[in-house]
Each structure stands twice: as C-alpha cells, then as structure tokens.
Amino acid sequence: MVIVYESKTGFTKRYADMLALKTRLKVFPVKELSKVSKDEEIIFLGWMKAGKIQGLDKLRNYNVKAVCGSGTGRTAEPSVEAVVARNKVEGLPFFYIRGGCYPIKELKGMDRILLSMFLKMLKNRKDKDENIEEAIKHIEGGFDGVKEENLLPVLEWLKCNTEL
Ligand SMILES: Cc1cc2nc3c(=O)[nH]c(=O)nc-3n(C[C@H](O)[C@H](O)[C@H](O)COP(=O)(O)O)c2cc1C
C-alpha cells in the first residue's frame, strides 16, 4: 500500500506526510503517479472543491482501496453521501478529514471567484446557524484544522485492512 495525494495549498499534503510518518508507507503526489504501479494498493487523499475530490479522476485505472477528502468545515460539504455519490466512490471506505484554508484575499484565479460566490451565498442565507457563521469566518480570515487525531479513523482502518 502507498499513499497518493492531491493538495493545492498544503493542508492535505500535511495529512499525507503525517500518515506516511505514522505508517511508514511511501507517499506520492498525483503528479508523480507514474512512479506507482497499477496494481499497487493505494490510499488516496485529496482536497475537495465543490464536492469533488481533486485528483481522484487520474487514479481511475489504479488500485484505490480507500479515499480521504479534505475540506474546511466540521463535516464534509455538502455531505458525506453527496461527496461519495459525486465522486463515484460507493463501496470504498471514505474518510472526511478537516483541512484548512488561507484567507480568501490570498487566493487567486478561479478558486477565488468560486469561493467568493460561495461566501456571498452563505452571507445571504436567512437561516445562518453556528456552522454557517463559522464557515464565513474561516473563509474570510483563514483557518488551520489539521490535527493528528483527525487521522485516527484512517489509521484504524489501515490497521484492520492492511499488513501494517
Ligand atoms: C474554490 C474552493 C471550493 C471548495 N469547495 C469545498 C467543498 O465543496 N467541500 C469542502 O468540504 N471543502 C471545500 N473547500 C475547502 C478545501 O477543500 C479545503 O480548504 C482543503 O483542506 C484545502 O486543501 P489543500 O490545502 O490541500 O489544497 C473548497 C475550497 C476552495 C478554495
């Protein structure tokens, strides 16, 4: 088993490196996927954009055994069920891991445009609960939710399902 990840701003990479350190599994970014053999078992970690796990499509012909999606919220956005369906990973173990984000003013290009639209939508909502208020605060001010303990379910799964 090896770890493969896709990370844009580094939060998911930190989880991938942390997991590698804890398990001694080798770790590869998607851009080095050619170094991984097609039959090697893979645990994949990717950042999520509009519910889509980035980088995962490039692994369709690989032996992916489990998938982790990183987002900024307390729980997966829009929901674990929607993420699993949108990414066609039904039947594979899926783990949501809380990553983080830089303040929106530090983002560039399409990501900034998309996130500005999302922020506007959140701000316009009449039914703002604690989670929505928190999301607005994090998008505007940035947030780092990376914690070792967030990997515990992943480590547990690896222990039960691999030769670690
Ligand atoms: C344009 C954009 C769209 C995003 N969409 C989602 C989303 O649909 N669901 C979610 O949970 N997080 C979403 N996020 C949050 C990121 O997935 C999160 O910040 C992630 O931890 C970043 O990982 P990285 O630093 O490895 O790139 C989005 C972030 C951006 C910039």
Side-chain angles (χ1 to χ4, degrees):
M1 167 101 43
V2 297
I3 301 161
V4 177
Y5 71 91
E6 175 81 24
S7 176
K8 179 140 189 199
T9 54
F11 294 94
T12 314
K13 179 181 191 306
R14 277 163 61 198
Y15 276 122
D17 290 341
M18 220 182 254
L19 201 57
L21 223 104
K22 290 209 169 282
T23 58
R24 296 169 184 268
L25 294 175
K26 283 191 183 152
V27 59
F28 301 90
V30 167
K31 63 174 189 298
E32 289 176 17
L33 194 58
S34 59
K35 294 183 183 164
V36 178
S37 123
K38 292 252 157 105
D39 50 16
E40 178 73 81
E41 294 188 339
I42 293 173
I43 177 161
F44 181 77
L45 288 76
W47 72 285
M48 299 199 295
K49 176 159 143 182
K52 201 75 174 103
I53 303 166
Q54 302 300 293
L56 185 59
D57 281 347
K58 299 201 176 99
L59 279 82
R60 287 296 166 200
N61 297 320
Y62 283 79
N63 190 10
V64 178
K65 291 294 184 196
V67 174
C68 306
S70 105
T72 307
R74 286 183 197 191
T75 53
E77 276 293 329
S79 67
V80 167
E81 295 72 26
V83 170
V84 166
R86 202 168 290 176
N87 295 279
K88 301 191 174 63
V89 289
E90 292 96 342
L92 285 181
F94 172 77
F95 302 93
Y96 174 71
I97 43 177
R98 194 175 199 186
C101 57
Y102 286 94
I104 188 163
K105 59 178 187 308
E106 292 179 21
L107 301 183
K108 291 188 184 80
M110 247 346 253
D111 284 355
R112 182 165 173 164
I113 296 168
L114 266 171
L115 210 56
S116 307
M117 283 160 53
F118 184 57
L119 182 62
K120 202 166 165 191
M121 186 200 84
L122 290 178
K123 285 185 165 177
N124 283 335
R125 272 175 69 162
K126 301 256 178 308
D127 59 336
K128 282 195 216 70
D129 60 13
E130 205 190 327
N131 282 346
I132 295 175
E133 296 288 3
E134 187 183 73
I136 293 172
K137 193 177 94 192
H138 289 162
I139 292 170
E140 289 182 332
F143 172 69
D144 182 353
V146 177
K147 282 193 200 143
E148 258 186 39
E149 67 194 54
N150 293 341
L151 283 178
L152 286 177
V154 183
L155 284 165
E156 198 53 39
W157 179 84
L158 280 168
K159 254 189 231 150
C160 296
N161 293 280
T162 63
E163 276 146 35
L164 280 183

